Amino acid sequence: MHRRLALAITAAVLLTPLATAQPADIATFSSRLSWTMDDRRFGGWSGLELSPDGSTFVMVSDRANILTGRIERDENGLITGVQAGTIRPLKYTTGGDLPRYHDDSEGLAMAADGRIYVSFESVHRVVVYDNAVVERAIDLPRVPDYDSLQNNSSLEALAIDEDGAIYIIPERSGEIDKPFPVHRLRGETWETPYEIPRRGEFLVVGADIGPDGRLYVLERALSSMLGFSSRVRRFDMSETALTNETTLFTSPAGRHDNLEGVAVWRDTAGHMRVTMVSDDNFRFFQTTEFVEYVVPE
């Protein structure tokens, strides 16, 4: 994703908040933490998964790296720190390094058995690894509409349900008035049971299915002078339809950095928490940050 935004972001050296009228948010802002590591590979985090209690994380970057660690919280559940492991490279189907154009990893989903699914742009595909060691990728069946996917705007959002079905949403729908398709993989067969209406200039960058069985979709819009706006929408899921579309929050431009990874979990009070991580595009004027909102039940 970072290549496509480079020119627009460079024009916005300072991400200045914009005071614009927003609809009342259902979700409330909880906490935010900026952080970094002394490793040149750090940055570009585009996919996020959390443990059911929100304490540990797995992330992938858009330069084919993976990182695991622990989120530290205070007695109120606010994020106070990060303890991270070692950044490691994702591997190819041969077990070796990913070839050029095969290394733009974007989406992340983790199954209950520990298998890790990763979606890629450029060479559009979804792969699975046996576990977080990510020693050898296994290609899943080719995604629908492969030939029409855009080079740097394709398989951004990846999610998995409790039955192990995989869901993929492209970043762009092709036209401003065309809905985003939601493709689902069960076994060896992709199908397209859902569409998400396109609202405004927002594009899909992340997705997760929460412990409540609902689909949460993270979207982003970019103002070249004011920074990023983020939005999370939630949908009830049936076998053939998404219903009860609900906007949980819309942030004004510049409030947060380039949020791309999203994970949803339930806290001890029974509330859903939407935790996100930003892709800093490896730019000095951007930052990696965890951002969290709470959705009252």
Coordinates of all heavy atoms in Angstrom, one line a residue, residues 123-218:
V123 N 1.2 -9.6 -6.6 CA 0.8 -10.9 -7.0 C -0.3 -11.3 -6.1 O -0.1 -11.8 -5.0 CB 1.9 -11.9 -7.0 CG1 1.5 -13.3 -7.4 CG2 3.1 -11.5 -7.9
H124 N -1.6 -11.1 -6.5 CA -2.8 -11.2 -5.6 C -3.0 -12.7 -5.2 O -3.2 -13.5 -6.0 CB -4.0 -10.7 -6.3 CG -3.8 -9.5 -7.2 ND1 -3.5 -8.3 -6.6 CD2 -3.8 -9.3 -8.5 CE1 -3.3 -7.4 -7.6 NE2 -3.5 -8.0 -8.8
R125 N -3.0 -12.9 -3.9 CA -3.2 -14.3 -3.4 C -3.4 -14.3 -1.9 O -3.1 -13.3 -1.2 CB -2.0 -15.1 -3.8 CG -0.7 -14.8 -3.0 CD 0.5 -15.3 -3.7 NE 1.7 -15.2 -2.9 CZ 2.4 -14.1 -2.7 NH1 2.0 -12.9 -3.3 NH2 3.5 -14.0 -2.0
V126 N -3.9 -15.4 -1.4 CA -3.9 -15.7 0.0 C -3.2 -17.0 0.3 O -3.3 -18.0 -0.4 CB -5.4 -15.8 0.5 CG1 -5.5 -16.1 2.0 CG2 -6.2 -14.6 0.1
V127 N -2.3 -16.9 1.3 CA -1.6 -18.1 1.7 C -1.9 -18.5 3.1 O -2.4 -17.7 3.9 CB -0.1 -17.9 1.5 CG1 0.2 -17.5 0.0 CG2 0.5 -16.9 2.5
V128 N -1.5 -19.7 3.5 CA -1.6 -20.1 4.9 C -0.3 -20.7 5.4 O 0.4 -21.4 4.6 CB -2.8 -21.2 5.0 CG1 -2.5 -22.4 4.2 CG2 -3.0 -21.5 6.5
Y129 N 0.0 -20.4 6.6 CA 1.2 -21.0 7.3 C 0.7 -21.9 8.5 O -0.3 -21.6 9.1 CB 2.1 -19.9 7.9 CG 2.7 -19.1 6.8 CD1 2.1 -17.9 6.4 CD2 3.9 -19.4 6.2 CE1 2.7 -17.0 5.5 CE2 4.5 -18.6 5.2 CZ 3.9 -17.4 4.9 OH 4.4 -16.6 3.9
D130 N 1.4 -23.0 8.8 CA 1.0 -23.9 9.8 C 0.9 -23.2 11.2 O 0.1 -23.5 12.0 CB 1.9 -25.1 9.9 CG 1.7 -26.0 8.7 OD1 0.6 -26.0 8.1 OD2 2.7 -26.8 8.4
N131 N 1.8 -22.2 11.4 CA 1.8 -21.5 12.7 C 2.7 -20.2 12.5 O 3.1 -19.9 11.4 CB 2.4 -22.4 13.8 CG 3.8 -23.0 13.4 OD1 4.7 -22.3 12.9 ND2 3.9 -24.3 13.5
A132 N 2.9 -19.5 13.6 CA 3.6 -18.2 13.6 C 5.1 -18.3 13.2 O 5.7 -17.3 13.0 CB 3.4 -17.5 14.9
V133 N 5.6 -19.6 13.1 CA 7.0 -19.7 12.7 C 7.1 -19.4 11.2 O 8.2 -19.0 10.7 CB 7.5 -21.1 12.9 CG1 8.9 -21.3 12.5 CG2 7.4 -21.4 14.4
V134 N 6.0 -19.5 10.4 CA 5.9 -19.1 9.0 C 7.0 -19.6 8.2 O 7.7 -18.9 7.4 CB 5.7 -17.6 8.8 CG1 4.4 -17.2 9.4 CG2 6.8 -16.8 9.5
E135 N 7.3 -20.9 8.3 CA 8.5 -21.5 7.5 C 8.2 -21.8 6.1 O 9.1 -21.7 5.2 CB 8.9 -22.8 8.2 CG 9.5 -22.6 9.6 CD 10.0 -23.9 10.2 OE1 9.4 -24.9 9.9 OE2 10.9 -23.9 11.1
R136 N 6.9 -22.1 5.7 CA 6.6 -22.4 4.3 C 5.2 -22.1 4.1 O 4.3 -22.5 4.8 CB 6.9 -23.9 4.1 CG 6.7 -24.3 2.6 CD 6.8 -25.8 2.5 NE 8.2 -26.2 2.9 CZ 9.2 -26.3 2.0 NH1 9.1 -25.9 0.8 NH2 10.4 -26.7 2.4
A137 N 4.9 -21.3 3.0 CA 3.6 -20.9 2.7 C 2.9 -21.9 1.8 O 3.5 -22.6 1.0 CB 3.6 -19.5 1.9
I138 N 1.6 -22.1 2.0 CA 0.8 -22.9 1.1 C -0.2 -22.0 0.4 O -1.0 -21.3 1.1 CB 0.0 -24.0 1.9 CG1 1.1 -24.9 2.6 CG2 -0.9 -24.8 1.0 CD1 0.4 -25.9 3.5
D139 N -0.2 -22.0 -0.9 CA -1.2 -21.1 -1.6 C -2.6 -21.7 -1.5 O -2.8 -22.9 -1.7 CB -0.8 -21.0 -3.1 CG 0.4 -20.1 -3.4 OD1 0.6 -19.2 -2.6 OD2 1.1 -20.4 -4.4
L140 N -3.6 -20.8 -1.3 CA -5.0 -21.1 -1.4 C -5.5 -21.0 -2.8 O -4.8 -20.4 -3.6 CB -5.8 -20.2 -0.4 CG -5.4 -20.4 1.1 CD1 -6.4 -19.6 1.9 CD2 -5.4 -21.8 1.5
P141 N -6.6 -21.5 -3.1 CA -7.1 -21.3 -4.5 C -7.2 -19.9 -4.9 O -7.4 -19.0 -4.1 CB -8.6 -21.9 -4.4 CG -8.5 -22.9 -3.3 CD -7.5 -22.3 -2.3
R142 N -7.0 -19.6 -6.2 CA -6.9 -18.3 -6.7 C -8.2 -17.5 -6.4 O -9.3 -18.0 -6.5 CB -6.7 -18.3 -8.3 CG -6.7 -16.9 -8.9 CD -6.4 -16.9 -10.3 NE -5.0 -17.1 -10.6 CZ -4.4 -16.8 -11.7 NH1 -5.1 -16.3 -12.7 NH2 -3.1 -16.9 -11.8
V143 N -8.0 -16.3 -6.0 CA -9.2 -15.4 -5.5 C -10.0 -15.0 -6.7 O -9.5 -14.9 -7.9 CB -8.7 -14.2 -4.8 CG1 -8.0 -14.5 -3.5 CG2 -7.8 -13.3 -5.7
P144 N -11.3 -14.8 -6.5 CA -12.2 -14.3 -7.6 C -11.7 -13.0 -8.2 O -11.1 -12.2 -7.5 CB -13.5 -14.2 -6.9 CG -13.5 -15.1 -5.7 CD -12.0 -15.0 -5.3
D145 N -12.1 -12.7 -9.4 CA -11.8 -11.4 -10.1 C -10.3 -11.1 -10.1 O -9.9 -10.0 -10.1 CB -12.5 -10.3 -9.4 CG -14.0 -10.5 -9.3 OD1 -14.6 -11.1 -10.3 OD2 -14.7 -10.1 -8.4
Y146 N -9.5 -12.1 -10.2 CA -8.0 -12.0 -10.1 C -7.5 -11.0 -11.1 O -6.7 -10.1 -10.8 CB -7.3 -13.3 -10.3 CG -5.8 -13.2 -10.2 CD1 -5.1 -13.4 -9.0 CD2 -5.1 -13.0 -11.4 CE1 -3.8 -13.4 -9.0 CE2 -3.7 -12.9 -11.3 CZ -3.0 -13.1 -10.1 OH -1.7 -13.0 -10.1
D147 N -8.0 -11.1 -12.4 CA -7.4 -10.3 -13.4 C -7.8 -8.8 -13.4 O -7.2 -8.0 -14.0 CB -7.8 -10.9 -14.8 CG -7.2 -12.2 -15.1 OD1 -6.1 -12.4 -14.5 OD2 -7.8 -13.0 -15.8
S148 N -8.9 -8.5 -12.6 CA -9.4 -7.2 -12.5 C -8.9 -6.4 -11.3 O -9.1 -5.2 -11.1 CB -10.9 -7.1 -12.5 OG -11.4 -7.8 -11.4
L149 N -8.2 -7.1 -10.4 CA -7.7 -6.5 -9.2 C -6.6 -5.5 -9.5 O -5.7 -5.8 -10.4 CB -7.1 -7.6 -8.2 CG -8.2 -8.5 -7.6 CD1 -7.5 -9.6 -6.8 CD2 -9.1 -7.7 -6.7
Q150 N -6.6 -4.4 -8.8 CA -5.5 -3.4 -9.1 C -4.2 -3.7 -8.4 O -4.2 -4.4 -7.3 CB -6.0 -2.0 -8.6 CG -7.3 -1.5 -9.4 CD -7.8 -0.2 -8.9 OE1 -7.0 0.8 -8.8 NE2 -9.0 0.0 -8.7
N151 N -3.1 -3.2 -8.9 CA -1.8 -3.7 -8.5 C -1.6 -3.4 -7.0 O -1.2 -4.2 -6.2 CB -0.7 -3.0 -9.3 CG 0.7 -3.5 -8.9 OD1 0.9 -4.7 -8.7 ND2 1.6 -2.6 -8.9
N152 N -1.9 -2.2 -6.5 CA -1.6 -1.8 -5.1 C -2.9 -1.5 -4.4 O -2.9 -0.7 -3.5 CB -0.7 -0.6 -5.1 CG 0.8 -1.0 -5.3 OD1 1.2 -2.0 -4.8 ND2 1.5 -0.3 -6.1
S153 N -4.0 -2.0 -4.8 CA -5.3 -1.7 -4.2 C -6.1 -3.0 -4.2 O -7.3 -2.9 -4.4 CB -6.0 -0.6 -4.9 OG -5.3 0.6 -4.9
S154 N -5.5 -4.1 -3.8 CA -6.3 -5.4 -3.9 C -6.6 -6.0 -2.6 O -7.5 -5.5 -1.9 CB -5.6 -6.3 -4.9 OG -4.4 -6.8 -4.3
L155 N -5.9 -7.0 -2.2 CA -6.4 -7.9 -1.1 C -5.9 -7.3 0.3 O -5.0 -7.9 0.9 CB -5.9 -9.3 -1.3 CG -6.4 -9.9 -2.7 CD1 -5.9 -11.3 -2.8 CD2 -7.9 -9.8 -2.8
E156 N -6.6 -6.3 0.7 CA -6.2 -5.6 2.0 C -6.8 -6.2 3.2 O -6.1 -6.3 4.2 CB -6.6 -4.1 1.9 CG -5.8 -3.3 1.0 CD -4.6 -2.6 1.7 OE1 -4.6 -2.7 2.9 OE2 -3.7 -2.1 1.0
A157 N -8.0 -6.6 3.2 CA -8.8 -7.0 4.4 C -9.0 -8.5 4.4 O -9.6 -9.1 3.5 CB -10.1 -6.2 4.5
L158 N -8.6 -9.2 5.5 CA -8.7 -10.6 5.6 C -9.3 -10.9 7.0 O -8.9 -10.3 8.0 CB -7.4 -11.3 5.4 CG -7.3 -12.8 5.3 CD1 -7.9 -13.3 4.1 CD2 -5.8 -13.2 5.4
A159 N -10.2 -11.9 7.0 CA -10.9 -12.3 8.3 C -11.2 -13.8 8.2 O -11.3 -14.4 7.1 CB -12.1 -11.5 8.5
I160 N -11.4 -14.4 9.4 CA -11.8 -15.8 9.5 C -12.9 -15.9 10.5 O -12.9 -15.2 11.5 CB -10.6 -16.6 9.9 CG1 -10.9 -18.1 9.8 CG2 -10.0 -16.2 11.2 CD1 -9.7 -19.0 9.9
D161 N -13.9 -16.8 10.2 CA -15.0 -17.0 11.2 C -14.7 -18.2 12.1 O -13.7 -18.9 11.9 CB -16.3 -17.1 10.5 CG -16.5 -18.3 9.6 OD1 -15.8 -19.3 9.8 OD2 -17.4 -18.3 8.8
E162 N -15.6 -18.5 13.0 CA -15.3 -19.5 14.0 C -15.4 -20.9 13.4 O -14.9 -21.9 13.9 CB -16.4 -19.5 15.1 CG -17.8 -19.6 14.7 CD -18.8 -19.6 15.8 OE1 -18.4 -19.3 16.9 OE2 -20.0 -19.8 15.6
D163 N -16.0 -21.0 12.1 CA -16.0 -22.3 11.4 C -14.8 -22.5 10.5 O -14.7 -23.5 9.8 CB -17.3 -22.4 10.6 CG -18.5 -22.5 11.6 OD1 -18.4 -23.1 12.6 OD2 -19.5 -21.9 11.2
G164 N -13.9 -21.5 10.4 CA -12.7 -21.6 9.6 C -12.9 -21.1 8.2 O -12.0 -21.2 7.4
A165 N -14.0 -20.5 7.9 CA -14.2 -19.9 6.5 C -13.4 -18.6 6.4 O -13.3 -17.8 7.4 CB -15.7 -19.6 6.2
I166 N -12.8 -18.4 5.3 CA -11.9 -17.2 5.1 C -12.7 -16.1 4.3 O -13.4 -16.5 3.3 CB -10.7 -17.6 4.3 CG1 -9.9 -18.7 5.0 CG2 -9.8 -16.4 4.0 CD1 -9.4 -18.2 6.4
Y167 N -12.5 -14.9 4.7 CA -13.2 -13.8 4.0 C -12.2 -12.8 3.5 O -11.3 -12.4 4.3 CB -14.2 -13.1 4.9 CG -15.3 -14.0 5.4 CD1 -15.1 -14.8 6.5 CD2 -16.6 -13.9 4.8 CE1 -16.1 -15.7 6.9 CE2 -17.6 -14.7 5.3 CZ -17.3 -15.6 6.3 OH -18.3 -16.5 6.8
I168 N -12.3 -12.3 2.3 CA -11.4 -11.3 1.7 C -12.1 -10.2 1.1 O -13.1 -10.4 0.4 CB -10.4 -12.0 0.7 CG1 -9.3 -11.0 0.3 CG2 -11.1 -12.6 -0.5 CD1 -8.2 -10.9 1.4
I169 N -11.7 -9.0 1.3 CA -12.3 -7.8 0.7 C -11.2 -6.9 0.1 O -10.2 -6.6 0.7 CB -13.0 -6.9 1.8 CG1 -13.9 -7.8 2.7 CG2 -13.8 -5.8 1.1 CD1 -14.4 -7.0 3.9
P170 N -11.4 -6.6 -1.2 CA -10.4 -5.7 -1.9 C -10.5 -4.3 -1.4 O -11.6 -3.9 -1.0 CB -10.8 -5.8 -3.4 CG -12.2 -6.1 -3.4 CD -12.5 -7.0 -2.2
E171 N -9.4 -3.6 -1.5 CA -9.4 -2.2 -1.0 C -10.3 -1.3 -1.9 O -11.0 -0.4 -1.3 CB -7.9 -1.7 -1.1 CG -7.8 -0.2 -0.6 CD -6.4 0.3 -0.7 OE1 -5.5 -0.5 -1.0 OE2 -6.2 1.5 -0.4
R172 N -10.3 -1.5 -3.2 CA -11.1 -0.7 -4.1 C -12.2 -1.6 -4.7 O -11.9 -2.8 -5.0 CB -10.2 -0.1 -5.1 CG -9.3 1.0 -4.6 CD -8.4 1.6 -5.7 NE -7.5 2.6 -5.1 CZ -7.8 3.9 -5.0 NH1 -8.9 4.4 -5.5 NH2 -6.9 4.7 -4.5
S173 N -13.3 -1.0 -5.0 CA -14.4 -1.7 -5.6 C -14.4 -1.5 -7.1 O -15.2 -2.2 -7.8 CB -15.7 -1.3 -5.1 OG -15.9 0.1 -5.3
G174 N -13.5 -0.7 -7.7 CA -13.4 -0.5 -9.1 C -14.0 0.9 -9.5 O -13.5 1.6 -10.4
E175 N -15.2 1.2 -9.0 CA -15.9 2.4 -9.3 C -16.4 3.0 -8.0 O -16.8 2.3 -7.1 CB -17.0 2.2 -10.3 CG -16.5 1.6 -11.6 CD -17.6 1.3 -12.6 OE1 -18.8 1.7 -12.3 OE2 -17.4 0.6 -13.6
I176 N -16.6 4.4 -8.0 CA -17.0 5.1 -6.8 C -18.4 4.7 -6.3 O -18.7 4.7 -5.1 CB -16.9 6.6 -7.0 CG1 -17.0 7.3 -5.7 CG2 -18.0 7.1 -8.0 CD1 -15.9 7.1 -4.7
D177 N -19.3 4.2 -7.2 CA -20.6 3.9 -6.8 C -20.8 2.4 -6.8 O -21.9 1.9 -6.6 CB -21.6 4.5 -7.8 CG -21.4 4.1 -9.2 OD1 -20.4 3.5 -9.5 OD2 -22.3 4.4 -10.0
K178 N -19.7 1.6 -6.9 CA -19.8 0.1 -6.9 C -19.5 -0.4 -5.5 O -18.5 0.0 -4.9 CB -18.8 -0.4 -7.9 CG -18.9 -1.9 -8.1 CD -17.9 -2.4 -9.1 CE -18.0 -3.9 -9.3 NZ -17.0 -4.3 -10.3
P179 N -20.3 -1.3 -5.0 CA -20.0 -1.8 -3.6 C -18.8 -2.7 -3.6 O -18.3 -3.2 -4.6 CB -21.3 -2.7 -3.3 CG -21.8 -3.0 -4.6 CD -21.5 -1.9 -5.5
F180 N -18.2 -2.9 -2.4 CA -17.1 -3.8 -2.2 C -17.5 -5.2 -2.2 O -18.4 -5.5 -1.3 CB -16.3 -3.4 -0.9 CG -15.8 -2.0 -0.8 CD1 -16.5 -1.0 -0.1 CD2 -14.6 -1.7 -1.4 CE1 -16.0 0.3 0.0 CE2 -14.1 -0.4 -1.4 CZ -14.8 0.6 -0.6
P181 N -17.0 -6.1 -3.0 CA -17.4 -7.5 -2.9 C -16.7 -8.2 -1.7 O -15.6 -7.8 -1.3 CB -16.9 -8.1 -4.2 CG -15.7 -7.3 -4.5 CD -16.0 -5.9 -4.1
V182 N -17.4 -9.1 -1.0 CA -16.8 -9.9 0.1 C -16.8 -11.3 -0.4 O -17.8 -11.9 -0.6 CB -17.6 -9.7 1.4 CG1 -16.9 -10.5 2.5 CG2 -17.8 -8.3 1.8
H183 N -15.6 -11.8 -0.6 CA -15.4 -13.2 -1.1 C -15.2 -14.1 0.1 O -14.5 -13.8 1.1 CB -14.2 -13.3 -2.0 CG -14.3 -12.4 -3.2 ND1 -15.3 -12.3 -4.1 CD2 -13.4 -11.4 -3.6 CE1 -15.1 -11.4 -5.0 NE2 -14.0 -10.8 -4.7
R184 N -15.7 -15.3 0.0 CA -15.6 -16.3 1.1 C -15.1 -17.6 0.6 O -15.5 -18.1 -0.4 CB -17.0 -16.5 1.8 CG -17.0 -17.6 2.9 CD -18.4 -17.6 3.6 NE -19.4 -18.0 2.7 CZ -20.7 -17.7 2.9 NH1 -21.1 -17.1 4.0 NH2 -21.7 -18.1 2.1
L185 N -14.1 -18.2 1.3 CA -13.6 -19.5 0.9 C -13.9 -20.5 2.0 O -13.6 -20.4 3.2 CB -12.0 -19.4 0.8 CG -11.3 -20.7 0.5 CD1 -11.6 -21.1 -0.9 CD2 -9.8 -20.5 0.7
R186 N -14.6 -21.6 1.5 CA -14.9 -22.7 2.3 C -14.3 -23.9 1.6 O -14.7 -24.2 0.4 CB -16.4 -22.9 2.5 CG -17.0 -21.9 3.4 CD -18.5 -22.1 3.4 NE -19.2 -21.3 4.5 CZ -20.5 -21.1 4.5 NH1 -21.3 -21.6 3.6 NH2 -21.0 -20.4 5.5
G187 N -13.4 -24.6 2.2 CA -12.8 -25.7 1.5 C -11.9 -25.2 0.4 O -11.0 -24.4 0.6
E188 N -12.2 -25.6 -0.9 CA -11.5 -25.2 -2.0 C -12.2 -24.3 -2.9 O -11.8 -24.0 -4.1 CB -11.1 -26.5 -2.8 CG -10.2 -27.4 -2.1 CD -8.8 -26.8 -1.8 OE1 -8.2 -26.2 -2.7 OE2 -8.4 -27.0 -0.6
T189 N -13.4 -23.8 -2.5 CA -14.3 -23.0 -3.4 C -14.5 -21.6 -2.9 O -15.0 -21.5 -1.7 CB -15.6 -23.7 -3.6 OG1 -15.4 -25.1 -4.1 CG2 -16.5 -23.0 -4.6
W190 N -14.2 -20.6 -3.7 CA -14.5 -19.2 -3.3 C -15.9 -18.9 -3.8 O -16.4 -19.4 -4.9 CB -13.6 -18.3 -4.0 CG -12.2 -18.2 -3.5 CD1 -11.1 -18.8 -3.9 CD2 -11.8 -17.4 -2.3 NE1 -10.0 -18.4 -3.2 CE2 -10.4 -17.6 -2.2 CE3 -12.5 -16.6 -1.4 CZ2 -9.7 -17.0 -1.1 CZ3 -11.8 -16.0 -0.4 CH2 -10.4 -16.2 -0.3
E191 N -16.7 -18.1 -3.1 CA -18.0 -17.6 -3.4 C -18.0 -16.1 -3.0 O -17.2 -15.7 -2.3 CB -19.1 -18.4 -2.8 CG -18.9 -18.5 -1.3 CD -19.9 -19.5 -0.6 OE1 -20.8 -19.9 -1.3 OE2 -19.7 -19.7 0.6
T192 N -19.0 -15.4 -3.5 CA -19.2 -14.0 -3.1 C -20.6 -13.8 -2.6 O -21.5 -13.4 -3.3 CB -18.9 -13.1 -4.4 OG1 -17.7 -13.5 -5.0 CG2 -18.9 -11.6 -4.0
P193 N -20.8 -14.1 -1.3 CA -22.1 -14.0 -0.7 C -22.5 -12.6 -0.3 O -23.7 -12.3 -0.1 CB -22.0 -14.9 0.6 CG -20.5 -14.7 1.0 CD -19.8 -14.6 -0.3
Y194 N -21.6 -11.7 -0.2 CA -21.9 -10.3 0.4 C -21.4 -9.2 -0.5 O -20.4 -9.4 -1.3 CB -21.3 -10.2 1.8 CG -21.5 -11.3 2.8 CD1 -20.5 -11.8 3.5 CD2 -22.8 -11.8 3.0 CE1 -20.7 -12.8 4.4 CE2 -23.0 -12.8 3.9 CZ -22.0 -13.3 4.6 OH -22.1 -14.3 5.5
E195 N -22.0 -8.1 -0.3 CA -21.4 -6.8 -0.8 C -21.5 -5.8 0.3 O -22.5 -5.8 1.1 CB -22.2 -6.3 -2.0 CG -22.0 -7.1 -3.3 CD -22.7 -6.6 -4.5 OE1 -23.7 -5.8 -4.2 OE2 -22.3 -6.8 -5.6
I196 N -20.5 -4.9 0.4 CA -20.6 -3.8 1.3 C -20.7 -2.5 0.6 O -20.0 -2.1 -0.3 CB -19.2 -3.7 2.1 CG1 -19.1 -5.0 3.0 CG2 -19.1 -2.5 3.0 CD1 -17.8 -5.1 3.7
P197 N -21.8 -1.7 0.9 CA -22.0 -0.4 0.2 C -20.8 0.5 0.4 O -20.3 0.6 1.5 CB -23.3 0.1 0.8 CG -23.4 -0.6 2.1 CD -22.8 -1.9 2.0
R198 N -20.5 1.2 -0.6 CA -19.4 2.2 -0.6 C -20.0 3.5 -0.2 O -20.9 4.0 -0.8 CB -18.7 2.3 -1.9 CG -17.4 3.1 -1.9 CD -16.6 2.8 -3.2 NE -15.5 3.7 -3.3 CZ -14.5 3.5 -4.1 NH1 -14.5 2.5 -5.0 NH2 -13.4 4.4 -4.2
R199 N -19.5 4.1 0.9 CA -19.9 5.3 1.5 C -18.8 6.4 1.4 O -17.9 6.3 2.2 CB -20.4 5.1 2.9 CG -21.3 4.0 3.2 CD -22.7 4.2 2.7 NE -23.7 3.2 3.1 CZ -24.8 2.9 2.5 NH1 -25.1 3.5 1.4 NH2 -25.6 1.9 3.0
G200 N -19.0 7.3 0.6 CA -18.0 8.4 0.5 C -16.7 7.9 -0.1 O -16.6 7.0 -0.9
E201 N -15.6 8.6 0.3 CA -14.3 8.3 -0.3 C -13.5 7.2 0.5 O -12.3 7.0 0.1 CB -13.5 9.6 -0.4 CG -14.1 10.7 -1.3 CD -13.3 11.9 -1.3 OE1 -12.3 12.0 -0.6 OE2 -13.7 12.8 -2.1
F202 N -14.1 6.6 1.4 CA -13.4 5.6 2.3 C -13.1 4.3 1.5 O -14.0 3.9 0.7 CB -14.1 5.3 3.5 CG -14.0 6.4 4.6 CD1 -14.9 7.5 4.5 CD2 -13.1 6.4 5.6 CE1 -14.9 8.5 5.5 CE2 -13.0 7.4 6.5 CZ -13.9 8.4 6.5
L203 N -11.9 3.8 1.7 CA -11.5 2.5 1.1 C -11.3 1.5 2.2 O -10.8 1.8 3.3 CB -10.3 2.7 0.2 CG -10.4 3.7 -0.9 CD1 -9.0 3.8 -1.6 CD2 -11.5 3.3 -1.9
V204 N -11.5 0.2 1.9 CA -11.4 -0.9 2.9 C -9.9 -1.2 3.1 O -9.1 -1.4 2.1 CB -12.1 -2.1 2.4 CG1 -11.8 -3.3 3.3 CG2 -13.6 -1.9 2.3
V205 N -9.4 -1.2 4.3 CA -8.0 -1.6 4.6 C -7.9 -2.7 5.6 O -6.8 -3.2 5.8 CB -7.2 -0.4 5.1 CG1 -7.1 0.6 4.0 CG2 -7.9 0.3 6.3
G206 N -9.0 -3.1 6.3 CA -8.9 -4.2 7.3 C -10.2 -4.7 7.7 O -11.2 -4.0 7.5
A207 N -10.2 -5.9 8.2 CA -11.5 -6.5 8.6 C -11.2 -7.6 9.7 O -10.2 -8.1 9.8 CB -12.2 -7.1 7.4
D208 N -12.2 -7.8 10.5 CA -12.2 -8.9 11.5 C -13.6 -9.3 11.8 O -14.6 -8.5 11.7 CB -11.5 -8.4 12.8 CG -11.1 -9.5 13.7 OD1 -10.9 -10.7 13.2 OD2 -10.9 -9.3 14.9
I209 N -13.8 -10.5 12.2 CA -15.0 -11.0 12.7 C -14.9 -11.1 14.3 O -14.0 -11.9 14.8 CB -15.4 -12.4 12.1 CG1 -15.6 -12.2 10.6 CG2 -16.7 -12.9 12.7 CD1 -15.9 -13.4 9.8
G210 N -15.7 -10.4 15.0 CA -15.6 -10.3 16.4 C -16.2 -11.5 17.1 O -16.8 -12.4 16.5
P211 N -15.9 -11.7 18.4 CA -16.5 -12.8 19.2 C -18.0 -12.7 19.2 O -18.6 -13.7 19.6 CB -15.9 -12.6 20.6 CG -15.4 -11.2 20.6 CD -15.1 -10.8 19.2
D212 N -18.6 -11.6 18.8 CA -20.1 -11.5 18.7 C -20.6 -12.0 17.3 O -21.8 -12.0 17.1 CB -20.5 -10.1 18.9 CG -19.9 -9.1 18.0 OD1 -19.0 -9.5 17.1 OD2 -20.2 -7.9 18.0
G213 N -19.7 -12.5 16.5 CA -20.1 -13.0 15.2 C -20.4 -12.0 14.1 O -20.9 -12.3 13.0
R214 N -20.1 -10.7 14.4 CA -20.3 -9.7 13.4 C -19.0 -9.3 12.7 O -17.9 -9.5 13.2 CB -20.8 -8.4 14.2 CG -22.2 -8.5 14.8 CD -22.4 -7.4 15.8 NE -23.8 -7.3 16.2 CZ -24.2 -6.7 17.2 NH1 -23.3 -6.2 18.1 NH2 -25.5 -6.6 17.5
L215 N -19.2 -8.8 11.5 CA -18.1 -8.4 10.6 C -17.8 -6.9 10.9 O -18.7 -6.0 10.8 CB -18.5 -8.6 9.2 CG -17.4 -8.1 8.1 CD1 -16.1 -8.9 8.3 CD2 -18.0 -8.1 6.7
Y216 N -16.5 -6.6 11.2 CA -16.1 -5.3 11.5 C -15.1 -4.9 10.3 O -14.2 -5.6 10.0 CB -15.3 -5.2 12.8 CG -16.2 -5.4 14.0 CD1 -16.7 -6.6 14.4 CD2 -16.6 -4.3 14.8 CE1 -17.5 -6.8 15.5 CE2 -17.4 -4.4 16.0 CZ -17.8 -5.7 16.3 OH -18.6 -5.9 17.4
V217 N -15.4 -3.7 9.7 CA -14.6 -3.3 8.6 C -13.9 -2.0 8.9 O -14.6 -1.0 9.2 CB -15.5 -3.2 7.3 CG1 -14.6 -2.8 6.1 CG2 -16.1 -4.6 7.0
L218 N -12.6 -1.9 8.8 CA -11.8 -0.7 8.9 C -11.6 -0.1 7.6 O -11.2 -0.7 6.6 CB -10.5 -1.0 9.6 CG -9.5 0.1 9.7 CD1 -10.0 1.3 10.5 CD2 -8.1 -0.4 10.2

